Amino acid sequence: MSAREVVLGVGGGIAAYKACDLLRRLQDAGFGVTVVPTPSSLHFVGKATWEALSGRPVTTTVWERVDEVRHVHLASVSNFNIVAPATADLIARIAQGRADDLLTNTLLASTVPTLIVPAMHPAMWASSATQSNVSLLRSRGYIVMEPDRGRLTGKDVGVGRFPETARILEAFKEITERANDLSGVKILITAGGTREMIDPIRFIGNKSSGRQGYALAKAAMKRGAEVTLILANSSLPDLEGVTTIRVDSADEMYAQVSSRFLSCDLIAMSAAVADAKPAKFSESKIKKGALSAIELLPNKDIIATVAKEKKHQIVIAFAAETSLDISEAERKMMVKSADILYLNDVSGSEIFGSEQTQGVILTSDISGSIHHQKIDRTSKDTLSDLLLDQALSKLG
């Protein structure tokens, strides 16, 4: 397999025959294509046609080629997924996370960029159910095209027509270009929440799960970057292709960040670092009656400290507040020498541990002016790419 592998999922709509041309054009562009049709799509275009055009075996269920665990294998070797056509039913099943055929199993096991190309009757496309499913998929990082307007099956005309191949390839080109736009860039990311031990049992900590930094690391790795993730007290597993260093305390995190900062091009400080630590650590458990007060010492502001040494590095900082106080966020940008800062409101306690986020991205320009971009509720994966897009423009 090459580094330009595509899984082409084909849904059960009349537009399935148009995916034959898309397959050919992808091959002309140098991509290796494995076709994964849904069982119902074979009523429109048969398995023999797909095998002849792709030059590869075609399977539709998880019960074929069981020895290689087909859906896991396809998800691991593909660099991109395209679902074309995507029917209303297929979009609904993907949105619900169902895995009832080989294609939906493969998509569920996949972490690579996925382009979905809808094609259906205009009334089905306009329905609130379909639009809700499309919005959900986009919030999770899927790229869902808008269908064309034109004549469909029968005499009906409207929005729902399968897009022309050239338009699909143009959308796909944007995905493939983004997939390597951070090639050669060294990125250092912190995530999770530090713990400052009081005694062997108790600690000062916070609710951070590490999901945002984890999503950033995954997104940066997919876009070709060399990623080091410093992860504090998180149950999230190591990411394949990412160097993961696990730490507990703020001091441990500072040691890892400071030793690597000057060799990176970009640092994203998404970890929730405890502001203070106990002045003394008790080697034995402090009895309940003796635990009346804890003397605290301030921890280093890690990003503000290491950023004083920055040369070419781009700094992304994070601010978790209980209100969207823009003036306070701008002050933090200056203190932390940050080029980009993401401010999120955690007052509702929905951000910690969630796959969703909302807030404001603050960016500074050459003149020192600060610009604001409001981020409505979206996935942490989507936010990661938005932040990396901003960083990329600053990296030049």
Side-chain angles (χ1 to χ4, degrees):
M1 293 287 185
S2 72
R4 291 165 63 83
E5 284 294 319
V6 177
V7 164
L8 174 59
V10 181
I14 185 62
Y17 79 93
K18 295 184 177 181
C20 295
D21 182 54
L22 175 60
L23 166 58
R24 279 300 199 203
R25 301 292 77 80
L26 288 168
Q27 291 173 324
D28 291 344
F31 290 94
V33 183
T34 301
V35 181
V36 182
T38 63
S40 59
S41 76
L42 298 180
H43 290 291
F44 298 101
V45 180
K47 183 183 293 188
T49 299
W50 293 124
E51 290 186 341
L53 291 175
S54 69
R56 295 181 175 182
V58 170
T59 49
T60 60
T61 74
V62 294
W63 307 114
E64 301 167 271
R65 302 183 70 167
V66 177
D67 59 313
E68 67 176 24
V69 192
R70 187 67 170 157
H71 61 291
V72 175
H73 172 73
L74 288 171
S76 66
V77 300
S78 68
N79 303 106
F80 309 97
N81 301 318
I82 302 177
V83 182
T87 62
D89 173 69
L90 182 52
I91 287 173
R93 289 192 288 126
I94 298 170
Q96 293 166 15
R98 288 173 56 183
D100 37 19
D101 56 28
L102 180 60
L103 176 56
T104 50
N105 269 273
T106 300
L107 293 174
L108 201 57
S110 177
T111 59
V112 301
T114 299
L115 175 66
I116 295 178
V117 187
M120 65 195 73
H121 188 274
M124 298 174 74
W125 172 250
S127 76
S128 58
T130 300
Q131 290 303 306
S132 177
N133 288 331
V134 168
S135 296
L136 180 58
L137 289 175
R138 285 172 174 162
S139 75
R140 291 175 179 167
Y142 290 85
I143 297 89
V144 184
M145 293 185 66
E146 291 289 322
D148 279 352
R149 180 181 180 84
R151 183 172 176 178
L152 293 96
T153 305
K155 298 180 181 179
D156 292 329
V157 176
V159 178
R161 182 182 174 90
F162 190 74
E164 295 299 320
T165 301
R167 192 159 82 84
I168 299 172
L169 291 176
E170 187 63 30
F172 185 58
K173 181 181 177 183
E174 293 182 14
I175 298 172
T176 58
E177 288 178 347
R178 169 183 270 192
N180 296 299
D181 60 6
L182 290 173
S183 178
V185 176
K186 293 183 178 181
I187 298 182
L188 182 62
I189 299 171
T190 68
T194 64
R195 293 178 180 177
E196 312 305 321
M197 299 306 297
I198 299 168
D199 61 22
I201 297 174
R202 305 178 182 94
F203 61 85
I204 298 172
N206 55 68
K207 292 182 176 181
S208 178
S209 65
R211 289 186 183 277
Q212 183 61 76
Y214 194 82
L216 262 171
K218 182 169 64 174
M221 181 267 294
K222 285 182 181 179
R223 293 170 69 162
E226 180 183 327
V227 184
T228 298
L229 175 64
I230 301 174
L231 189 58
N233 303 296
S234 174
S235 61
L236 295 169
D238 289 3
L239 278 167
E240 185 176 353
V242 172
T243 300
T244 302
I245 301 167
R246 294 184 181 268
V247 298
D248 291 314
S249 68
D251 287 342
E252 290 176 5
M253 180 170 284
Y254 171 72
Q256 294 294 340
V257 170
S258 61
S259 67
R260 290 169 170 78
F261 177 70
L262 291 178
S263 62
C264 77
D265 302 301
L266 166 65
I267 182 170
M269 193 75 189
S270 66
V273 181
D275 294 317
K277 61 185 175 183
K280 294 180 180 179
F281 169 72
S282 174
E283 296 290 346
S284 59
K285 178 184 176 182
I286 302 172
K287 298 303 180 183
K288 185 185 298 184
L291 193 61
S292 58
I294 301 173
E295 184 183 352
L296 298 177
L297 294 176
N299 276 321
K300 286 186 176 71
D301 185 326
I302 297 177
I303 193 62
T305 303
V306 298
K308 293 176 182 176
E309 307 295 325
K310 80 172 184 176
K311 296 178 172 57
H312 63 282
Q313 287 82 5
I314 300 300
V315 174
I316 302 177
F318 286 73
E321 301 288 351
T322 52
S323 65
L324 292 180
D325 187 338
I326 299 297
S327 60
E328 173 63 11
E330 291 180 349
R331 185 194 70 80
K332 284 191 173 184
M333 279 191 77
M334 295 181 62
V335 170
K336 297 176 184 292
S337 300
D339 304 282
I340 302 165
L341 184 141
Y342 179 62
L343 168 66
N344 58 350
D345 182 355
V346 299
S347 58
S349 300
E350 296 180 351
I351 304 301
F352 291 121
S354 171
E355 294 183 359
Q356 302 289 307
T357 187
Q358 58 190 13
V360 179
I361 296 176
L362 288 77
T363 54
S364 59
D365 60 24
I366 297 176
S367 68
S369 298
I370 297 177
H371 306 277
H372 310 143
Q373 178 185 357
K374 184 180 178 183
I375 304 298
D376 293 325
R377 193 165 184 81
T378 189
S379 71
K380 289 180 178 178
D381 290 331
T382 299
L383 175 68
S384 296
D385 276 316
L386 292 173
L387 291 171
L388 291 172
D389 288 344
Q390 292 285 356
L392 186 65
S393 66
K394 292 182 178 297
L395 286 166

